[in-house]
């Protein structure tokens, strides 16, 4: 039977961690005496989120207690996006519209002006965006890593740091995207161009890049559900510890996308 997967509630965070573990087993050969190490379990993401009770409208405690209830003791799961890997103030800058264009859905209108274009779905979609569109070229293997040319960025600026995630979108379908991670600092030239060094080979070429793309996965609570004591004055917090879970381990996922709206 599948487990339910809830979105993370709109709470304010005091801190967070997004990392991964790769459990290994160490073996010693009885014939040669050599040590061997091999993966003993799948690689998994591990996440921690410290939630403020008073941030975001003083609703953090209520959201946390409600989330604890619907997780049913930890049986069910949440879908999380990654917290900033490097300094969060730098990440705020990377989230601006100069590095992340937001797509707009438009269609040919049938009102008084037949040449007008109106928001919504329709037979004549156009690729319109708010913000500056960052384009990527064709990824090329460079030894064990990958080089991806990018342009349309602010000139003479550091637009990414090692460990930061980017998201690459298919220009023909914004619902199709994939994540990659930067392996070195990304500093543009005066024309706003840079060659990104990535940890993997993306399957999308000549796509649109979001420089503040977030990693994403499904998690169960690791250990006991968090508790928090409200003081007489001041803020208090809930510390959530999560461990990634895979669909094949639990019989599938049943998404609950509109839980908090």
């Amino acid at each position: 039977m599948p487990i339910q997967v809830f979105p993370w509630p709109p709470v304010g965070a005091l801190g967070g961690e997004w990392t991964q573990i790769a459990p290994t087993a160490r073996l010693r050969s009885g014939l040669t005496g050599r040590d061997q190490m091999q993966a003993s379990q799948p690689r998994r993401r591990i996440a921690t989120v410290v939630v403020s009770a008073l941030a975001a409208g003083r609703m953090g405690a209520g959201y946390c207690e409600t989330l604890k209830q619907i997780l049913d003791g930890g049986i069910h799961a949440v879908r999380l996006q990654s917290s900033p890997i490097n300094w969060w103030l730098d990440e705020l800058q990377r989230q601006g519209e100069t590095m992340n264009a937001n797509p707009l859905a438009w269609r040919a209108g049938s009102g008084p002006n037949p040449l007008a274009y109106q928001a919504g779905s329709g037979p004549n979609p156009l690729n319109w965006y708010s913000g500056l569109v960052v384009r990527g070229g064709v990824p090329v293997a460079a030894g064990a890593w990958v080089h991806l040319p990018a342009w349309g960025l602010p000139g003479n600026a550091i637009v990414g740091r090692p460990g930061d995630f980017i998201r690459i979108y298919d220009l023909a379908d914004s619902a199709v995207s994939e994540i990659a991670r930067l392996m070195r600092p990304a500093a543009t030239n005066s024309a706003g161009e840079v060659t990104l060094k990535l940890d993997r080979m993306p399957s999308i070429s000549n796509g649109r890049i979001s420089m503040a793309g977030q990693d994403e996965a499904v998690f169960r609570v690791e250990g006991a559900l968090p508790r928090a004591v409200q003081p007489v004055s001041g803020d208090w917090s809930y510390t959530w510890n999560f461990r990634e879970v895979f669909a094949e381990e639990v019989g599938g996922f049943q998404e609950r996308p509109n839980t908090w709206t």
Side-chain angles (χ1 to χ4, degrees):
M1 180 180 295
I3 64 171
Q4 297 183 55
V5 178
F6 300 98
W8 183 246
V11 295
L14 296 173
E17 179 192 27
W18 186 275
T19 188
Q20 63 181 16
I21 58 172
T24 58
R26 186 172 183 175
L27 307 173
R28 182 180 293 273
S29 171
L31 297 176
T32 65
R34 295 177 180 173
D35 281 346
Q36 295 181 338
M37 295 186 70
Q38 61 186 29
S40 61
Q41 296 181 33
R43 181 178 298 174
R44 296 177 191 269
R45 299 170 180 90
I46 300 293
T48 298
V49 184
V50 182
V51 175
S52 164
L54 298 184
R58 301 192 299 276
M59 301 179 188
Y63 274 125
C64 284
E65 292 296 334
T66 305
L67 181 60
K68 287 164 62 176
Q69 176 181 322
I70 62 180
L71 290 180
D72 198 11
I75 295 174
H76 301 298
V78 294
R79 181 173 292 279
L80 292 177
Q81 292 186 326
S82 59
S83 55
I85 302 301
N86 293 295
W87 196 29
W88 67 274
L89 286 177
D90 290 329
E91 186 68 13
L92 284 181
Q93 182 180 10
R94 280 167 34 85
Q95 291 173 358
E97 289 194 342
T98 58
M99 302 189 202
N100 305 274
N102 295 311
L104 300 173
W106 296 69
R107 63 178 174 83
S110 58
N113 182 0
L115 299 180
Y117 286 87
Q118 301 172 353
S121 60
N124 300 307
L126 296 176
N127 291 328
W128 286 57
Y129 302 91
S130 64
L132 300 179
V133 176
V134 179
R135 288 292 308 276
V138 177
V140 178
W145 316 114
V146 176
H147 285 171
L148 177 66
W151 60 93
L153 290 155
N156 297 319
I158 296 177
V159 296
R161 292 167 172 80
D164 285 341
F165 293 107
I166 66 168
R167 186 174 289 272
I168 307 166
Y169 292 89
D170 189 327
L171 278 180
D173 185 356
S174 293
V176 178
S177 67
E178 54 190 286
I179 283 287
R181 197 169 207 171
L182 299 182
M183 297 292 296
R184 67 183 181 192
T188 60
N189 60 19
S190 59
E193 302 166 338
V194 65
T195 297
L196 304 174
K197 186 175 183 179
L198 308 180
D199 66 334
R200 67 199 71 177
M201 174 65 75
S203 62
I204 299 173
S205 295
N206 300 310
R208 175 174 61 87
I209 299 175
S210 172
M211 292 301 296
Q214 292 174 288
D215 198 11
E216 185 175 308
V218 173
F219 296 83
R220 269 179 164 167
V221 174
E222 185 171 36
L225 294 173
R227 297 175 60 185
V229 176
Q230 180 177 166
V232 174
S233 63
D235 199 1
W236 67 103
S237 63
Y238 290 76
T239 299
W240 292 85
N241 294 304
F242 294 104
R243 179 184 177 91
E244 184 179 9
V245 62
F246 302 113
E248 59 270 19
E249 296 175 326
V250 294
F253 296 149
Q254 185 176 13
E255 302 280 350
R256 299 293 190 187
N258 299 316
T259 300
W260 310 112
T261 58

